[in-house]
Amino acid sequence: MIEVYKIGLKYYDTLKSDKNSGLFECEIIKKELRGIICQQKILVIINGLNSQEENEQVLNNMKDYDKKIFIMSDSIALETCKEIIDNCDVVLHQRFDGNYEEIKTRQAYSYVPELFYKYICEYPMMEYQNKFECVNFGGNNLRRQDKFDAYNISDKIYSTHIKSYTEGYDARVSHDEYIAELAGSKYSLMICREEYRNINWVTARFYESIAVDCLPLVDTDYCKGLEDIFGKENIIRVSNFEDVKNVMQSMTKERFFEMINKLRFNCFKRRNRFALQILKELEEK
């Protein structure tokens, strides 16, 4: 028996919708685990914004399970869920270049970002000629305001839904709305927070962009190992606003689909590896 627990569900009552894709992530993880049958009592914990009360509640409930698996889709869990992490048997995160020194339990790459590709591929597609000649970006400026400045994200070439910690507003939309707008854009911008810049941490934003035929423009500090998976020729690296404009001006329809199809091929090969990773962890003693 496998049970899934999502930390911080009360946070979504304040958002009124799934603005950070956490609920979508929880649902697709549950879908993947429904087909796995095991004799042990397994608890899969998905990170989130927790209170001290919830933290204590989770720690107490964990005692009733034979194995505990922690899904870390944001490194902030190292601050907010560290005690829970320390009491799990394995941590599955989105860093594929190694382990965190501060995590003493077993670690591995989760393949959760690939799940976003797998399930978003089910969404309606938009024909190339109907897509807007714009760059889509959704997210916040926490510990990456320098990237907002470098890319001039307020410019008219962007379609944005931003939460600003400096100016105190939240213009993000629900995940479904975000994906619909992403599907209507030709490009998306991949930037990351400071703590991800020296490690190979990949986000779901990269995979969901490919799933709707939206070509990702990848900042030079974002997951520098992507080329090892997708090939150097298939990753477009940018470092500032001028780079983005140059890509848009020089891109042809033929080159666009050549890159998208190669990216999709690699995503397709990796789409079922989350369940395989879970099965591998269940076999660990």
Side-chain angles (χ1 to χ4, degrees), residues 5 41 43 45 54-65 68:
Y5 181 84
K41 284 188 68 177
L43 178 62
I45 304 169
E54 184 176 23
N55 190 69
E56 294 174 359
Q57 177 188 338
V58 173
L59 286 168
N60 185 59
N61 291 343
M62 288 170 67
K63 300 172 185 176
D64 299 328
Y65 293 85
K68 287 81 65 178

Short mmCIF file of all heavy atoms in Angstrom, two decimals, residues 5 41 43 45 54-65 68:
data_model
loop_
_atom_site.label_atom_id
_atom_site.label_comp_id
_atom_site.label_asym_id
_atom_site.label_seq_id
_atom_site.Cartn_x
_atom_site.Cartn_y
_atom_site.Cartn_z
N TYR A 5 1.19 11.98 0.76
CA TYR A 5 0.84 13.13 1.61
C TYR A 5 1.51 14.38 1.07
O TYR A 5 2.73 14.42 0.92
CB TYR A 5 1.27 12.89 3.06
CG TYR A 5 0.89 14.04 3.98
CD1 TYR A 5 -0.39 14.10 4.54
CD2 TYR A 5 1.79 15.07 4.25
CE1 TYR A 5 -0.75 15.16 5.37
CE2 TYR A 5 1.43 16.14 5.07
CZ TYR A 5 0.16 16.18 5.62
OH TYR A 5 -0.19 17.23 6.43
N LYS A 41 3.81 -0.91 3.93
CA LYS A 41 3.11 0.37 4.05
C LYS A 41 4.11 1.47 3.71
O LYS A 41 5.09 1.68 4.42
CB LYS A 41 2.58 0.57 5.47
CG LYS A 41 1.34 -0.24 5.80
CD LYS A 41 0.78 0.17 7.17
CE LYS A 41 0.23 1.58 7.13
NZ LYS A 41 -0.39 1.98 8.43
N LEU A 43 4.88 5.49 2.66
CA LEU A 43 4.40 6.87 2.70
C LEU A 43 5.29 7.72 1.78
O LEU A 43 6.50 7.79 1.97
CB LEU A 43 4.46 7.43 4.13
CG LEU A 43 4.01 8.89 4.29
CD1 LEU A 43 2.55 9.06 3.88
CD2 LEU A 43 4.23 9.37 5.72
N ILE A 45 5.94 11.46 0.74
CA ILE A 45 5.71 12.83 1.23
C ILE A 45 6.20 13.82 0.19
O ILE A 45 7.36 13.75 -0.24
CB ILE A 45 6.43 13.07 2.57
CG1 ILE A 45 6.02 12.02 3.60
CG2 ILE A 45 6.15 14.48 3.09
CD1 ILE A 45 6.89 12.02 4.85
N GLU A 54 1.97 21.14 11.59
CA GLU A 54 1.93 20.10 10.56
C GLU A 54 3.22 19.29 10.58
O GLU A 54 3.19 18.07 10.38
CB GLU A 54 1.72 20.72 9.18
CG GLU A 54 1.58 19.66 8.08
CD GLU A 54 1.27 20.24 6.72
OE1 GLU A 54 1.57 21.43 6.49
OE2 GLU A 54 0.75 19.51 5.87
N ASN A 55 4.33 19.94 10.80
CA ASN A 55 5.62 19.25 10.88
C ASN A 55 5.59 18.15 11.93
O ASN A 55 6.00 17.01 11.69
CB ASN A 55 6.72 20.26 11.19
CG ASN A 55 8.11 19.68 11.04
OD1 ASN A 55 8.55 19.39 9.94
ND2 ASN A 55 8.81 19.53 12.15
N GLU A 56 5.10 18.49 13.11
CA GLU A 56 5.01 17.52 14.21
C GLU A 56 4.01 16.41 13.89
O GLU A 56 4.24 15.23 14.22
CB GLU A 56 4.61 18.23 15.50
CG GLU A 56 5.68 19.20 16.00
CD GLU A 56 5.22 20.02 17.20
OE1 GLU A 56 4.06 19.85 17.62
OE2 GLU A 56 6.02 20.85 17.69
N GLN A 57 2.93 16.78 13.22
CA GLN A 57 1.92 15.79 12.84
C GLN A 57 2.48 14.77 11.86
O GLN A 57 2.27 13.55 12.00
CB GLN A 57 0.72 16.50 12.22
CG GLN A 57 -0.38 15.55 11.71
CD GLN A 57 -1.44 16.31 10.94
OE1 GLN A 57 -1.64 17.50 11.09
NE2 GLN A 57 -2.13 15.59 10.07
N VAL A 58 3.21 15.25 10.87
CA VAL A 58 3.81 14.36 9.86
C VAL A 58 4.83 13.43 10.51
O VAL A 58 4.86 12.22 10.25
CB VAL A 58 4.46 15.17 8.73
CG1 VAL A 58 5.24 14.25 7.78
CG2 VAL A 58 3.41 15.94 7.95
N LEU A 59 5.69 13.99 11.35
CA LEU A 59 6.71 13.18 12.04
C LEU A 59 6.07 12.07 12.87
O LEU A 59 6.57 10.94 12.91
CB LEU A 59 7.58 14.07 12.92
CG LEU A 59 8.58 14.96 12.19
CD1 LEU A 59 9.16 16.00 13.15
CD2 LEU A 59 9.70 14.13 11.58
N ASN A 60 4.98 12.38 13.50
CA ASN A 60 4.28 11.38 14.32
C ASN A 60 3.65 10.30 13.44
O ASN A 60 3.74 9.10 13.74
CB ASN A 60 3.21 12.06 15.16
CG ASN A 60 2.54 11.10 16.13
OD1 ASN A 60 3.20 10.50 16.98
ND2 ASN A 60 1.23 10.96 16.01
N ASN A 61 3.03 10.70 12.33
CA ASN A 61 2.37 9.74 11.44
C ASN A 61 3.37 8.83 10.72
O ASN A 61 3.05 7.69 10.37
CB ASN A 61 1.52 10.47 10.41
CG ASN A 61 0.32 11.16 11.02
OD1 ASN A 61 -0.08 10.84 12.15
ND2 ASN A 61 -0.27 12.09 10.30
N MET A 62 4.57 9.32 10.50
CA MET A 62 5.59 8.55 9.78
C MET A 62 5.94 7.25 10.48
O MET A 62 6.37 6.28 9.85
CB MET A 62 6.86 9.39 9.61
CG MET A 62 6.71 10.52 8.60
SD MET A 62 8.11 11.68 8.62
CE MET A 62 9.44 10.64 8.00
N LYS A 63 5.73 7.20 11.79
CA LYS A 63 6.09 6.01 12.57
C LYS A 63 5.26 4.79 12.18
O LYS A 63 5.65 3.66 12.46
CB LYS A 63 5.89 6.31 14.06
CG LYS A 63 6.74 7.46 14.58
CD LYS A 63 6.36 7.83 16.01
CE LYS A 63 7.13 9.05 16.49
NZ LYS A 63 6.70 9.47 17.85
N ASP A 64 4.12 5.01 11.53
CA ASP A 64 3.22 3.91 11.17
C ASP A 64 3.56 3.25 9.84
O ASP A 64 2.85 2.34 9.40
CB ASP A 64 1.77 4.41 11.12
CG ASP A 64 1.28 4.95 12.46
OD1 ASP A 64 1.75 4.44 13.49
OD2 ASP A 64 0.46 5.88 12.45
N TYR A 65 4.64 3.68 9.18
CA TYR A 65 4.94 3.18 7.84
C TYR A 65 6.29 2.44 7.81
O TYR A 65 7.20 2.77 8.55
CB TYR A 65 4.97 4.35 6.84
CG TYR A 65 3.61 4.97 6.65
CD1 TYR A 65 3.16 5.97 7.52
CD2 TYR A 65 2.76 4.55 5.64
CE1 TYR A 65 1.90 6.53 7.36
CE2 TYR A 65 1.51 5.11 5.48
CZ TYR A 65 1.08 6.10 6.34
OH TYR A 65 -0.17 6.65 6.19
N LYS A 68 9.56 5.42 4.12
CA LYS A 68 9.15 6.79 3.84
C LYS A 68 10.00 7.37 2.73
O LYS A 68 11.23 7.32 2.80
CB LYS A 68 9.29 7.68 5.10
CG LYS A 68 8.22 7.40 6.17
CD LYS A 68 8.51 6.20 7.04
CE LYS A 68 9.75 6.37 7.90
NZ LYS A 68 9.98 5.20 8.79
#
